[in-house]
């Protein structure tokens, strides 16, 4: 499969998870293109069918700054992403209570508003009880791939 991967990370945790997930997907024979900056033009979401979002949360439930431009353009333009199937690995911290995993939840909201189809269970990781999010993401990956194939 050709997989586009949006990686939103403020201080490197989600970036590390994204790097390892990319390596694992490539080891399984998939082609992965990472989007970690720029807007809609750079993301090329019209030209792909499978998307994986790996995103942490910053501010008060916000998407990380490196993907804020892309997120804002999606909200403003609401392009038709009906051709797109996506999975999500989200990261946050329960100490932020009401805004727990707000960044990933914003991705889910906007992707659904654009007509993209969620595939598999989104993985929402709480830093307080998931000290190794990379291992959790790698363990989750087979279920997402199975859902895509099933
Ligand atoms: C300034 C700041 C604000 C944060 N705000 C939230 C938040 O609103 N909700 C949440 O669930 N986690 C929040 N977090 C926790 C991060 O999402 C979490 O630590 C994550 O692992 C960071 O990953 P990153 O290094 O890829 O950005 C915040 C962390 C920082 C440093």
């Amino acid at each position: 499969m050709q997989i586009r991967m949006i990686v939103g990370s403020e201080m490197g945790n989600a970036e590390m998870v994204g790097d390892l997930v990319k390596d694992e997907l490539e080891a399984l024979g998939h082609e992965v293109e990472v989007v970690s900056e720029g807007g809609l033009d750079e993301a090329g979401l019209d030209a792909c069918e499978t998307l994986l979002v790996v995103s942490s949360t910053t501010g008060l439930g916000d998407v990380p700054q490196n993907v804020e431009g892309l997120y804002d353009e999606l909200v403003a333009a609401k392009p038709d992403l009906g051709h797109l199937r996506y999975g999500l690995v989200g990261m946050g911290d329960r100490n932020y209570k009401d805004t727990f995993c707000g960044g990933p939840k914003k991705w889910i909201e906007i992707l659904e508003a654009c007509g993209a189809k969620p595939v598999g269970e989104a993985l929402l990781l709480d830093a307080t009880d998931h000290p190794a999010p990379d291992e959790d993401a790698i363990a989750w990956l087979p279920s997402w791939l199975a859902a895509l194939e099933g």
Side-chain angles (χ1 to χ4, degrees):
M1 262 184 294
Q2 293 192 325
I3 299 172
R4 197 70 45 115
M5 197 161 96
I6 294 174
V7 180
S9 180
E10 201 67 33
M11 291 171 306
N13 287 336
E15 189 181 355
M16 174 196 68
V17 170
D19 285 348
L20 285 171
V21 167
K22 177 178 190 279
D23 288 350
E24 179 75 5
L25 285 169
E26 287 176 345
L28 293 168
H30 302 291
E31 278 178 44
V32 181
E33 205 170 311
V34 172
V35 178
S36 57
E37 58 185 12
L40 268 178
D41 286 348
E42 291 80 4
L45 297 181
D46 45 351
C48 66
E49 295 177 350
T50 309
L51 172 70
L52 180 58
V53 177
V54 178
S55 176
S56 68
T57 306
T58 192
L60 282 177
D62 299 320
V63 304
Q65 286 176 52
N66 68 307
V67 287
E68 202 180 17
L70 171 59
Y71 173 79
D72 287 346
E73 280 190 38
L74 280 169
V75 171
K78 287 241 172 57
D80 180 1
L81 299 179
H83 58 283
L84 201 58
R85 301 188 303 158
Y86 75 93
L88 178 136
V89 176
M91 294 163 61
D93 184 328
R94 285 244 179 246
N95 289 313
Y96 288 88
K97 300 192 185 341
D98 288 353
T99 61
F100 172 64
C101 271
K105 287 173 185 168
K106 282 188 169 167
W107 283 113
I108 291 173
E109 249 173 61
I110 189 57
L111 287 169
E112 298 206 17
C114 294
K117 296 170 199 70
V119 173
E121 285 270 310
L123 181 67
L124 295 180
L125 295 170
D126 173 9
T128 61
D129 66 358
H130 287 89
D134 50 339
E135 290 174 16
D136 294 305
I138 296 296
W140 166 89
L141 206 49
S143 70
W144 183 58
L145 292 170
L148 282 169
E149 282 157 15

